[in-house]
Amino acid sequence: MSTAFGSPPLEPVRLDVRRELERPEARLDPSAAYARLRRLGPVLRWRTWTQDSLVITRYEEVMNVLRDPRVANDRRTLGDGGKGPLERWWTPSIMKLFLGSMVMKDPPDHRRLRNLVQKAFTPAMVDNLTGRVEQITAELLDAAARKPVFDLIADLALPLPLTVISEMLGVPEPERMEFRALIGKVLDPDGMSLTGFIFNYPNMVRLNRFLRRLVQLRREQPGDDLVTALVQADVGGDRFSEDEMISMVFLLLFAGHETTVNLIGNGVLALLQHPEQLQRLRERPELIDSAIEELLRFTNPVGTVAPRFVREDLEIAGFKIPRGSTLTLLLASANFDEAAFADADRLDITRSPNRHVSFGFGAHYCLGAPLARVEARVAIPALLQRFPGLRLAVPADQVRWRANMGLRGLASLPLAVG
Ligand code: HEM
């Protein structure tokens, strides 16, 4: 990138990127859909009545933006007094809290919040969880084995990370499914329409109350869990404010399961659709770590990161990007970029090196990456071992996807075990 605007400016192609990526063909063959976007240009203009952003499609530019200090996560640092769609007076407080989460912050606030949570989220805590992840997986597989056809999402991919993150945070068991249902409704893309929004409002209020109750509970009854650690976190006299705490718990509960569900679900589907790779993994289980990295790259559980905001005029791949622009970074497209990965549209569980961008890059690199890896590294081999005859119970083109561009995941995945 440079700030020189010497040559005549290039005009980005205009396209409704969401509509493009949510077409059924794109769901079935995302690598072809992203290849088309990259062919249309490294920078596209995505303008609809709800938003206006410049979309970055290629690996090199996505990485450059993620490390560019002229690009911010917090829209308010633009200092233009403008308000994003989530900052209006009528915005439910839970949405405002999401805006206040560290994903939407820049230094020094971001560093401060991340330091506070990292203290409670130590690598040792994650390592210690392996045994518990194995135990939960075994119980879930026992239950699945009693059915001739089970749903990978409802029976394993969802309850495993949900149970793990809920236990880590100290969400009482009877309330976990309620939490899950609320999150699902609040983030439902249909809820983003005006009528959807109105119907969804009470759920947002309920979710807000749920999180406040949880923090209050752990203040009064400290436990051996992350919310207690957050309540007590103190770095050099610095503590979380009440709202920062709620934002953080919301972020961890949400990011802690909505994403890993997709890694396990999409990952198993990809292996079943590539029987030679599945066979290889069955024969050489020690390939599991590189297989997980390749499944992260190839199945893109998280397709885009939070929007980024341009603080100074800059140039990306010859396109003039004015200050104040919003950028959408297509991680999934970057992961399929032929310029960065040989045979990018081929699943290869031995791929090395594999510098995928599925966990993001730079200051906001996924805090939960070690946890997601542990869960997938336990769940996928356990599933394959338990069911040597595992196969899809419906034709691949009838598998149901959830309509959400940012998170790429299945609504259900019926599997036959006989
Ligand atoms: C396969 C699973 C996962 C994927 C693909 C994934 C992906 C990502 C990505 C791409 C980002 C960067 C966001 C940005 O730059 O705007 C991110 C951030 C984050 N992730 Fe994950 N994630 C996963 C699992 C988890 C888990 C299990 C947790 C939690 C406990 C978690 C917690 C977070 C947090 C707290 C951040 C924000 C970090 C920051 O802003 O500094 N993630 N994740």
Side-chain angles (χ1 to χ4, degrees):
M1 274 188 245
S2 85
T3 50
F5 295 151
S7 41
L10 296 166
E11 266 308 305
V13 170
R14 244 177 103 155
L15 192 78
D16 184 340
V17 175
R18 185 187 306 277
R19 190 177 316 149
E20 192 69 22
L21 292 176
E22 287 177 357
R23 284 182 305 129
E25 312 86 88
R27 288 277 175 213
L28 283 177
D29 188 356
S31 79
Y34 287 114
R36 180 176 131 71
L37 296 189
R38 285 192 306 280
R39 275 196 306 275
L40 288 174
V43 180
L44 306 173
R45 181 83 185 262
W46 176 19
R47 194 171 190 172
T48 63
W49 69 278
T50 49
Q51 72 131 17
D52 183 5
S53 75
L54 293 166
V55 179
I56 313 299
T57 63
R58 298 186 188 166
Y59 185 87
E60 188 185 339
E61 286 82 21
V62 165
M63 294 294 271
N64 285 342
V65 170
L66 285 171
R67 60 182 147 221
D68 193 323
R70 295 169 299 174
V71 177
N73 280 43
D74 187 344
R75 195 187 185 290
R76 284 163 286 201
T77 58
L78 293 180
D80 60 358
K83 288 190 185 300
L86 290 176
E87 294 164 78
R88 318 283 182 201
W89 60 267
W90 42 261
T91 303
S93 37
I94 189 72
M95 285 299 161
K96 288 193 178 138
L97 287 174
F98 186 64
L99 265 188
S101 81
M102 70 174 169
V103 186
M104 308 286 186
K105 298 267 190 220
D106 295 314
D109 272 359
H110 172 256
R111 185 67 2 236
R112 185 185 140 255
L113 291 170
R114 191 153 168 143
N115 281 348
L116 279 167
V117 76
Q118 244 162 3
K119 183 170 177 247
F121 211 87
T122 60
M125 235 166 145
V126 172
D127 272 355
N128 286 342
L129 279 174
T130 307
R132 181 66 188 130
V133 174
E134 285 168 352
Q135 197 183 4
I136 301 167
T137 304
E139 285 165 17
L140 292 167
L141 289 178
D142 285 345
R146 287 183 219 116
K147 309 177 185 175
V149 170
F150 72 95
D151 177 4
L152 181 77
I153 305 302
D155 294 330
L156 176 69
L158 174 62
L160 173 63
L162 181 62
T163 308
V164 172
I165 194 70
S166 301
E167 285 185 2
M168 278 180 83
L169 284 161
V171 179
E173 161 117 56
E175 298 184 22
R176 286 182 201 158
M177 285 329 261
E178 180 197 342
F179 162 73
R180 159 74 200 164
L182 281 176
I183 280 271
K185 285 177 193 151
V186 166
L187 298 173
D188 184 351
D190 293 340
M192 305 298 164
S193 68
L194 187 61
T195 41
F197 183 86
I198 293 165
F199 278 115
N200 227 339
Y201 202 93
N203 293 321
M204 299 186 197
V205 174
R206 253 179 245 138
L207 182 60
N208 196 2
R209 268 197 224 128
F210 177 94
L211 297 178
R212 286 188 194 276
R213 246 191 0 251
L214 178 63
V215 169
Q216 192 53 33
L217 178 74
R218 292 304 163 216
R219 270 194 212 290
E220 288 161 8
Q221 298 170 28
D224 181 19
D225 57 67
L226 202 47
V227 173
T228 304
L230 293 177
V231 168
Q232 295 169 352
D234 191 334
V235 178
D238 198 2
R239 301 179 77 105
F240 282 107
S241 72
E242 180 75 14
D243 277 356
E244 284 173 343
M245 178 99 62
I246 305 292
S247 292
M248 186 61 83
V249 176
F250 176 66
L251 176 65
L252 291 174
L253 274 170
F254 164 67
H257 78 283
E258 282 291 331
T259 51
T260 315
V261 180
N262 297 346
L263 172 57
I264 298 173
N266 302 356
V268 170
L269 175 61
L271 287 172
L272 291 171
Q273 289 179 311
H274 296 81
E276 74 302 337
Q277 297 293 314
L278 175 57
Q279 189 54 28
R280 217 165 172 189
L281 184 57
R282 282 190 188 280
E283 284 163 11
R284 295 184 52 200
E286 72 279 8
L287 288 177
I288 188 63
D289 286 333
S290 77
I292 298 293
E293 297 313 303
E294 178 66 343
L295 294 173
L296 277 159
R297 181 193 74 84
F298 189 81
T299 75
N300 291 294
V302 174
T304 55
V305 278
R308 299 304 205 254
F309 305 100
V310 177
R311 273 200 275 239
E312 286 173 33
D313 289 349
L314 43 91
E315 202 176 298
I316 300 179
F319 289 80
K320 188 174 159 176
I321 313 289
R323 176 179 184 282
S325 304
T326 303
L327 302 180
T328 300
L329 309 183
L330 294 185
L331 298 186
S333 179
N335 277 337
F336 283 124
D337 190 344
E338 287 286 345
F341 302 93
D343 294 329
D345 59 359
R346 198 163 56 84
L347 179 74
D348 174 4
I349 61 164
T350 61
R351 185 180 294 275
S352 174
N354 188 348
R355 296 195 188 90
H356 65 75
V357 72
S358 296
F359 285 127
F361 185 75
H364 293 270
Y365 181 82
C366 178
L367 184 80
L371 177 59
R373 286 184 168 121
V374 164
E375 290 173 345
R377 202 191 302 132
V378 169
I380 295 178
L383 176 80
L384 298 181
Q385 229 169 9
R386 178 73 71 102
F387 304 119
L390 193 72
R391 58 181 203 283
L392 282 178
V394 294
D397 58 359
Q398 282 172 31
V399 162
R400 280 192 304 122
W401 291 90
R402 293 192 304 162
N404 184 327
M405 195 190 111
L407 294 171
R408 178 169 181 270
L410 293 157
S412 75
L413 186 64
L415 296 179
V417 297

